[in-house]
Amino acid sequence: TAGDAVPVAQRSSWTSFLKSIASFSGDLSSMTAPPFILSPVSLTEFPAYWCEHPALFASIADFPDDPAGRALAILRWFIVTLKGQYTSRIESMGSEKKPLNPVLGELFYGQWPASSPSQGRTDLLVEQVSHHPPITAYVIENKTKGLRLRGHNAQKTSFSGGSIIVKQIGHAILTVNLPNGKKEEYLINFPRLRIDGLWYGSPYIELAETSHIIGGGYVTSIEYKGKGYFSGKSHSFKASVARAVGGTEEYVVDGTWHLNSKFTKGSHPAFAPKPSGLFHDMTALPPQHVDTTPPAKMGEWETRRLWGLVAKGIREGDFDSASREKGRIEVEQRERRVHEKEAGKVWEGWHFDREVTPDLVYEHLAGLTKSIPLTEDMYVFKENWPMVFVEDWPSTSS
Ligand code: HCR
């Protein structure tokens, strides 16, 4: 029998869902799952996790003459995003849930207001650029600070030893405009995920293997372990910041990404203030959720309007109306594709151009001795921020 966290009436459908994922590899997002595991939030909202600590994102620009400081500021911002990316659904919904599977062209616009004129406002623009397989592209920009993060995400899932293994496809590029007019680029790739707790009906994420941040003359390697590995604690990581050329390791940071970490090699005056010695500390850092387009200005492709009735059904436990509305959206999408085909047209997308870049080599990023080929498509932002971004929006986050 399936686990305790599954409502009795849904246990058999949960068991058959588990059986079907066990014999399946590919696009999990399109599979039908029992209602208790459905999230009312679409995957297009997930890129907002990159900036729920906008001040730490902005702080990357505070080291114009200090490449090591920049590498550490980028590492700190990256580590701080992980708690939101991978554990926040447990806090808000009790377990990891299955997000809504975005439609092609679905949008999510967001802003984090400037907490001071010098920190500036941070803007977020997300678009679903592929439905099958699901690919989400985004750009996050703080113009005042000369920082931009752009990237895309996709996932390949498989099943192993009772867990779902998610290989993250895609990468992000962080651009830092330095005061001397130079532009620096950092390549960021993403960790592998294991979704455990499936049998009990309360899935949660653990990170595995290694991800990297490469640029500005540094290579940062972040190794992830869960319970029973090097520290024995869940959500453990060890980050090594090394010179790209020569490979000399200058800093090591060790800890748990959802709680805190400290330097175990090297130190930097702007980080790890005495006496705490902490590199990052999530216990004192509440997330700042993104503000979304004011409802009166929200377009029909924007995720919260597009999925509004489905999300309402899921939140209120009215799954009949949720699935009716979901069906309506899916039919509409299929018809759209049929009409396009008949008219000999292809969907152009709103904000991104797809660039096929086989064997793209990121050697130039860090003057690396070893090259990193990325046989991936790129999604290039058309620089067409919609008019709604011209002004600051009233705060919607709490
Ligand atoms: C794997 C996942 C969809 C993808 C989500 C990603 C990888 C998306 C990019 C973000 O930056 C980080 C991120 C966080 C999520 O943890 C991850 C999702 C977790 C579950 C979901 C599956 C498609 C749904 C599996 C269904 C289970 C819960 C029964």
Side-chain angles (χ1 to χ4, degrees):
T1 52
D4 304 341
V6 183
V8 180
Q10 294 177 41
R11 285 195 183 163
S12 69
S13 79
W14 180 239
T15 317
S16 37
F17 176 73
L18 292 183
K19 277 192 193 136
S20 52
I21 52 180
S23 56
F24 163 95
S25 164
D27 179 6
L28 241 191
S29 51
S30 60
M31 288 178 62
T32 310
F36 84 94
I37 205 71
L38 302 179
S39 156
V41 179
S42 159
L43 258 188
T44 51
E45 297 207 20
F46 281 45
Y49 291 125
W50 286 116
C51 214
E52 291 196 317
H53 300 281
L56 289 184
F57 182 62
S59 78
I60 295 168
D62 296 342
F63 301 86
D65 308 313
D66 175 4
R70 261 191 322 273
L72 290 169
I74 294 169
L75 173 65
R76 181 176 60 181
W77 154 75
F78 177 84
I79 296 295
V80 158
T81 71
L82 299 178
K83 185 178 176 194
Q85 307 255 23
Y86 302 110
T87 69
S88 59
R89 276 86 51 200
I90 303 211
E91 278 168 32
S92 61
M93 299 186 263
S95 80
E96 188 58 76
K97 300 270 172 177
K98 187 171 180 293
L100 294 169
N101 188 17
V103 305
L104 184 62
E106 184 174 321
L107 299 168
F108 184 51
Y109 297 147
Q111 279 189 359
W112 289 270
S115 62
S116 68
S118 68
Q119 186 190 301
R121 190 182 86 191
T122 310
D123 292 338
L124 164 75
L125 179 150
V126 185
E127 178 176 342
Q128 191 69 12
V129 290
S130 168
H131 176 65
H132 186 75
I135 306 177
T136 313
Y138 52 89
V139 49
I140 296 175
E141 183 162 65
N142 181 328
K143 291 195 181 75
T144 310
K145 289 289 193 173
L147 298 170
R148 175 184 275 197
L149 181 77
R150 64 192 164 94
H152 71 276
N153 282 94
Q155 299 87 38
K156 264 207 179 113
T157 46
S158 57
F159 197 76
S160 163
S163 307
I164 298 173
I165 311 292
V166 183
K167 181 179 180 217
Q168 295 206 63
I169 323 274
H171 58 272
I173 292 176
L174 172 71
T175 310
V176 182
N177 289 325
L178 295 170
N180 63 9
K182 285 200 179 137
K183 251 186 207 299
E184 226 176 32
E185 286 193 323
Y186 293 80
L187 170 69
I188 301 170
N189 66 7
F190 316 126
R192 194 166 284 225
L193 273 60
R194 218 182 48 232
I195 309 181
D196 288 329
L198 291 169
W199 183 248
Y200 303 101
S202 53
Y204 63 92
I205 305 260
E206 189 52 277
L207 301 182
E209 301 190 11
T210 306
S211 76
H212 295 93
I213 304 172
I214 301 168
Y218 283 88
V219 173
T220 299
S221 309
I222 307 149
E223 200 186 341
Y224 306 89
K225 293 272 157 59
K227 232 185 208 136
Y229 291 90
F230 44 55
S231 75
K233 291 183 195 141
S234 304
H235 308 334
S236 295
F237 77 95
K238 195 183 231 168
S240 148
V241 184
R243 289 259 183 203
V245 178
T248 314
E249 184 183 70
E250 293 186 359
Y251 309 94
V252 176
V253 172
D254 207 324
T256 53
W257 44 262
H258 66 312
L259 295 172
N260 53 46
S261 64
K262 54 180 198 274
F263 282 102
T264 53
K265 180 175 184 179
S267 67
H268 186 288
F271 299 82
K274 290 188 172 74
S276 76
L278 288 175
F279 175 71
H280 95 290
D281 185 6
M282 296 309 290
T283 56
L285 212 60
Q288 191 179 330
H289 299 306
V290 72
D291 290 338
T292 49
T293 321
K297 296 187 174 173
M298 203 176 265
E300 55 183 338
W301 286 88
E302 285 184 67
T303 182
R304 292 197 187 172
R305 187 164 149 194
L306 197 147
W307 290 107
L309 292 172
V310 178
K312 186 168 180 278
I314 293 174
R315 284 205 175 92
E316 294 173 357
D318 183 354
F319 299 111
D320 287 343
S321 104
S323 79
R324 207 173 38 245
E325 286 302 323
K326 186 167 165 281
R328 190 185 49 77
I329 293 172
E330 284 163 357
V331 167
E332 216 172 80
Q333 284 296 308
R334 273 198 293 275
E335 281 173 355
R336 196 177 278 275
R337 300 287 91 82
V338 170
H339 291 150
E340 280 167 1
K341 213 172 168 188
E342 284 168 358
K345 285 186 184 157
V346 280
W347 175 259
E348 295 279 342
W350 308 108
H351 296 295
F352 294 91
D353 285 321
R354 181 161 143 248
E355 229 174 57
V356 184
T357 49
D359 298 322
L360 193 73
V361 177
Y362 278 89
E363 229 164 358
H364 70 281
L365 283 174
L368 284 176
T369 40
K370 210 172 77 189
S371 65
I372 299 201
L374 282 175
T375 40
E376 280 180 1
D377 296 348
M378 293 270 288
Y379 293 88
V380 182
F381 181 44
K382 294 179 184 174
E383 304 296 335
N384 55 351
W385 290 101
M387 280 306 285
V388 72
F389 280 96
V390 169
E391 51 194 36
D392 294 339
W393 308 338
S395 178
T396 48
S397 58
S398 48

